[in-house]
Structures are given as structure tokens and as C-alpha cells.
Amino acid sequence: MKRSKSRPSDGPAAGRETVGLRIVGGKLRGRPLTYSGDERTRPMKDRVREAVFNLLGPGVVGTHAVDLFAGTGALGLEAISRGATRATFLERHLPTCKLIESNAAQLGIGEQVDVQFADTFKWNKLRQLPSDRPWLVFCSPPFEFYVSRREEMLQLIERFHAAAPAGSLFAVEADERFDFGQLPAAGEWDVRTYLPAVVGVLVK
């Protein structure tokens, strides 16, 4: 497992900023995203999202993105902007599901998204995902899940890793309490620190 040096934190309030949420790259770069301000969604900061996609690189093109804890939907929408063909969003908060659909429609990519109102831990429709192209799996839950629901989180990531076609990409966001060495293919994750976030990227 490769791990980079830590980068300075923007402070504890930075992860809750509601101003300036936008697409940061690709064909939709600069387009704004509506965000309710609900703290349950905790959108990944723009600078971290940009760093994640820089790590993923051109492998994003042609993938089917799967956002396991969709929140604002920024990760999956960003993936489409950068060349993913479709995106599936799992979100257990119905108003937030509607907001993702609204943002996709405003961006003109409504036909490329599938928003599932579901509890990610109980979602059992993996067969709905394509088997003929790589997946791009995002796992960016509330960080507390890695503590209070640790075993469920590990099982969830293992399940998607086992089912994903060859060449699939994974991006997992946690904080410093989580040991990325517990993940499948542990030694192959590229782990970077963007305090308070820690991000691991893997190509299967």
C-alpha cells in the first residue's frame, strides 16, 4: 500500500462548505450544482474531488460510475463530465435523490443517470450493473461508518470489488481512523492524505 505525505487541513468547517459546489473538470467544467446544505450529505471538497480524478486519470472514460453513498451526487456527475458513460447513485434520503435527478437534468445528462432510493448496505441489485465495461466505484460515506459499521463497510467494498469487471476503478474516501490495509488487494491501493480526508484509489 502506497501512502503519501499529509497535506494541510482546511480546518474542520471546510468539509461543510455549501458555497461554490460545482463540476471541476471535463465537458461540464464550472457548471454549478445545487446543494441543500443538509450536513448528512457532506460533499467531498472540490480540491479533493479534483485530486481524486487526477489519480483516476483517463481510465474514467467509458466506465459505468457507481456512487455508493451519493449525497449531492457530485462524484458520479463529475465522472460523466469526464467521460463515464452512465452513473448509478445509491442514496437513502429521498429529497436528496430528487436533488441528484434535478442536478443531472440541469446539466443535460438526465438520461445517463439512475438514482436508486436505497440503503446501500441492503442494496442487492448488482446484476443491474453492466458486465461488459469497467465500473468506477466511489465509496465516500459518513466517516463515522468506518468506526460504527466497520464490518459492514469492509463487506460492502469486498462485495463490489469481487463483482466488478476487470479494469474497474475504485475510489474510497475515509479519515485517518481507517486502515486501508484491511481492503481487498490491500497492497495495490494508492493512498493519499488531504486532511481531514484520506483517499485510496485502486485499479482492479
Side-chain angles (χ1 to χ4, degrees):
M1 179 178 64
K2 299 169 286 184
R3 197 176 186 108
S4 73
K5 295 181 179 179
S6 298
R7 299 190 180 186
S9 170
D10 287 341
R16 298 192 296 273
E17 290 175 359
T18 62
V19 177
L21 190 62
R22 60 190 175 88
I23 301 293
V24 297
K27 65 184 180 181
L28 301 172
R29 182 178 181 179
R31 295 284 297 275
L33 297 174
T34 302
Y35 170 42
S36 68
D38 190 328
E39 291 188 359
R40 286 173 293 187
T41 61
R42 190 190 56 78
M44 181 186 287
K45 289 180 283 188
D46 285 357
R47 69 178 181 87
V48 179
R49 185 160 23 106
E50 185 168 17
V52 168
F53 277 93
N54 286 341
L55 291 173
L56 293 168
V60 172
V61 177
T63 60
H64 184 110
V66 186
D67 198 342
L68 299 182
F69 299 90
T72 63
L75 286 168
L77 298 174
E78 181 86 31
I80 292 176
S81 176
R82 294 175 183 252
T85 58
R86 289 188 61 81
T88 297
F89 301 84
L90 306 184
E91 174 54 52
R92 65 179 182 176
H93 184 235
L94 185 57
T96 302
C97 288
K98 300 299 184 183
L99 189 58
I100 295 170
E101 292 175 337
S102 174
N103 273 322
Q106 291 177 22
L107 293 171
I109 56 174
E111 294 183 355
Q112 293 176 262
V113 310
D114 175 23
V115 183
Q116 301 263 331
F117 173 46
D119 181 334
T120 300
F121 293 108
K122 298 177 181 178
W123 194 75
N124 58 2
K125 299 179 180 178
L126 276 169
R127 291 184 180 180
Q128 290 184 356
L129 301 176
S131 59
D132 60 344
R133 73 175 76 98
W135 302 350
L136 169 54
V137 180
F138 296 108
C139 183
S140 180
F143 293 157
E144 178 59 28
F145 281 7
Y146 291 106
V147 178
S148 63
R149 308 185 71 169
R150 174 180 167 277
E151 290 303 320
E152 290 176 280
M153 287 299 303
L154 292 173
Q155 291 169 9
L156 173 69
I157 297 170
E158 170 61 37
R159 183 158 58 95
F160 274 82
H161 180 266
S168 292
L169 304 169
F170 287 77
V172 172
E173 184 190 26
D175 63 13
E176 293 189 309
R177 292 174 293 179
F178 180 65
D179 178 8
F180 279 79
Q182 299 174 333
L183 294 178
E188 299 176 18
W189 291 80
D190 185 356
V191 180
R192 309 291 183 102
T193 301
Y194 309 93
L195 291 175
V198 181
V199 176
V201 170
L202 172 73
V203 181
K204 181 178 177 182

